[in-house]
Amino acid sequence: MRIRTIEPEEIGVIRERAARWWGGSYDSDMFSKWYVHHFRDTCLAAEIGGELAGFVMGFCSQTEPDSAYIRIVMVSPEHRGGGVGRALYEAFFERVTARGRSVVRCVTAPHKANSLAFHAKLGFRMEPQAEERDGLPVAVDYDGRGGERVVLVKRLA
Ligand SMILES: CC(C)(COP(=O)(O)OP(=O)(O)OC[C@H]1O[C@@H](n2cnc3c(N)ncnc32)[C@H](O)[C@@H]1OP(=O)(O)O)[C@@H](O)C(=O)NCCC(=O)NCCS
């Protein structure tokens, strides 16, 4: 497996794979050349046999100088459970540590059991919130668009 940065020119491929791997439409401003250009060091692809097997996209926060944020991680269905997600996260942790970051955050929807299990294995814990949904702490209106999210946090050693 090879982990490398995503090039702005390949964002069309990433966008197409994201939609396919997600199992439904998944478009976002983040799947743009400008995003990869400005956050190149924290936008990583995993290749197996020269083929794209997964990707992670995030950034170092300007507002919280000690923290980094993972916006999305996705692994192709045929490679799930094979360590690609872990390898992408570990490469991300290494890069943001080199930039002086000691905390990584990301969010997931409370119903996403696979994502919650993956993040728990990678050492993330759920941040306490004022509200709970089905026993899980949720940040209400996390995105200013009505979405409820579990906020996951990991301290880097
Ligand atoms: C979540 C996702 C990125 C995990 O990637 P992956 O390559 O399958 O994960 P890995 O094989 O590296 O697994 C890392 C650890 O998490 C565990 N894990 C991964 N998926 C799991 C699941 N569905 N249930 C339980 N444990 C899981 C693995 O057992 C492994 O544990 P170990 O290293 O201690 O043996 C992948 O399943 C995916 O792309 N899902 C669809 C997109 C998605 O949900 N993204 C997250 C959105 S917030």
Side-chain angles (χ1 to χ4, degrees):
M1 187 189 324
R2 175 173 170 246
I3 308 283
R4 59 166 179 80
T5 51
I6 297 172
E7 294 304 314
E9 291 67 32
E10 65 180 327
I11 200 64
V13 174
I14 299 281
R15 187 167 53 236
E16 181 270 321
R17 296 297 156 83
R20 194 166 2 129
W21 295 348
W22 191 252
S25 125
Y26 194 127
D27 203 2
S28 161
D29 235 18
M30 127 186 90
F31 296 132
S32 304
K33 280 185 180 179
W34 60 261
Y35 187 100
V36 175
H37 172 76
H38 288 289
F39 300 115
R40 170 103 43 120
D41 199 36
T42 48
C43 291
L44 305 174
E47 283 181 355
I48 294 178
E51 294 292 319
L52 188 66
F55 62 89
V56 63
M57 297 173 75
F59 52 85
C60 288
S61 173
Q62 294 185 12
T63 310
E64 300 167 9
D66 62 337
S67 82
Y69 189 87
I70 293 178
R71 175 67 186 80
I72 190 165
V73 59
M74 238 187 244
V75 172
S76 75
E78 61 267 35
H79 288 110
R80 284 180 198 164
V84 176
R86 180 182 281 281
L88 284 165
Y89 265 41
E90 286 176 352
F92 184 94
F93 297 158
E94 200 176 304
R95 282 165 181 260
V96 301
T97 299
R99 289 182 177 273
R101 308 300 161 131
S102 55
V103 181
V104 177
R105 282 194 177 75
C106 57
V107 298
T108 195
H111 66 269
K112 292 213 67 181
N114 68 325
S115 175
L116 289 168
F118 168 74
H119 285 96
K121 279 287 178 79
L122 268 290
F124 285 78
R125 63 172 180 77
M126 296 182 225
E127 247 176 6
Q129 305 292 341
E131 298 275 332
E132 287 201 348
R133 211 65 71 219
D134 299 327
L136 298 176
V138 288
V140 175
D141 195 24
Y142 175 81
D143 47 14
R145 290 183 293 181
E148 290 188 342
R149 294 288 181 270
V150 177
V151 181
L152 299 159
V153 61
K154 177 184 169 77
R155 280 203 174 272
L156 302 173

